[in-house]
Amino acid sequence: LAAGGALALAAIAALHQAAPRATAVFAFVCVKQLQAAVELAFWVAVSEWFDARTLRRLVPRLAAASGVGGLIGAALVAPIARVAGTGVLFASGAAAFALVAAVAARTPTTRRVGAALGGRARGSWADSLAALQRQPLARGLAGLVAIAGVAASLTYVALGAAAAAHHAGDARGLAAFLGAVRMSGQLAMIAAQVLIAPKLLARLGVG
């Protein structure tokens, strides 16, 4: 998945000047999905490597690391776009995906840290649907994620359209603006994870 993301961003970097409209459509549809797929694959792998007790300790740290990484990446968008242009932005993203792919290729595939791996992992769609039917919490989480995904997509499209209209003809300014918005969102997310989420979980739990 990460290697596919690197190839996709490299293609966008090479073609966005020659075919801007087609490249924009491809980038809008594919890049966001590739990012989501890589993140999902990461969390699935983490759940296979570590037992539940270890995960309770590691997940907050991993989530914080993800937030900090997103913050750093968003903060770099504006200076890179203004100094080197959007093509270099895409190339930088391709390099980041390639680095992830190289690291992922060296990680174990079946090792579990902590308790011994019990039973055989099952990952089919049928198994997932059966788990949703058996567990009310899983159904609630799936519904929450679906609603959040729809809301995020609508907001993302509306923001992109408004920003593109405001920065018409200024690709570097548009990239810098979207990077600033992303950075602000990451800061708010990290603050919520550090200051609000632990208190809510301690008081209300996850139910």
Side-chain angles (χ1 to χ4, degrees):
L1 286 172
L7 292 175
L9 284 175
I12 292 170
L15 299 174
H16 80 285
Q17 293 286 358
R21 188 179 184 86
T23 305
V25 172
F26 175 77
F28 183 79
V29 174
C30 293
V31 173
K32 194 73 174 178
Q33 305 308 315
L34 282 168
Q35 177 189 356
V38 170
E39 290 179 354
L40 177 61
F42 169 78
W43 288 113
V44 170
V46 166
S47 69
E48 292 179 349
W49 292 337
F50 300 99
D51 61 88
R53 180 175 297 180
T54 307
L55 283 174
R56 290 183 62 184
R57 184 177 69 255
L58 289 182
V59 165
R61 300 175 186 176
L62 294 173
S66 175
V68 171
L71 177 63
I72 294 173
L76 291 175
V77 169
I80 293 175
R82 295 195 181 280
V83 173
T86 54
V88 176
L89 271 179
F90 290 129
S92 300
F97 265 116
L99 178 61
V100 171
V103 173
R106 299 177 62 86
T107 57
T109 57
T110 58
R111 179 174 61 89
R112 177 182 281 263
V113 178
L117 183 63
R120 184 176 180 179
R122 300 169 64 191
S124 68
W125 284 101
D127 295 333
S128 300
L129 291 175
L132 289 178
Q133 293 173 358
R134 292 193 306 268
Q135 302 176 11
L137 177 59
R139 291 197 301 270
L141 289 174
L144 181 62
V145 170
I147 294 172
V150 171
S153 296
L154 291 175
T155 304
Y156 179 74
V157 172
L159 173 65
H166 182 73
H167 294 276
D170 182 13
R172 297 188 180 193
L174 176 60
F177 170 76
L178 293 177
V181 170
R182 176 72 173 179
M183 183 175 65
S184 300
Q186 290 294 132
L187 280 172
M189 183 182 69
I190 292 174
Q193 289 174 340
V194 173
L195 301 176
I196 300 175
K199 295 179 180 179
L200 288 178
L201 289 175
R203 181 179 294 271
L204 303 177
V206 297

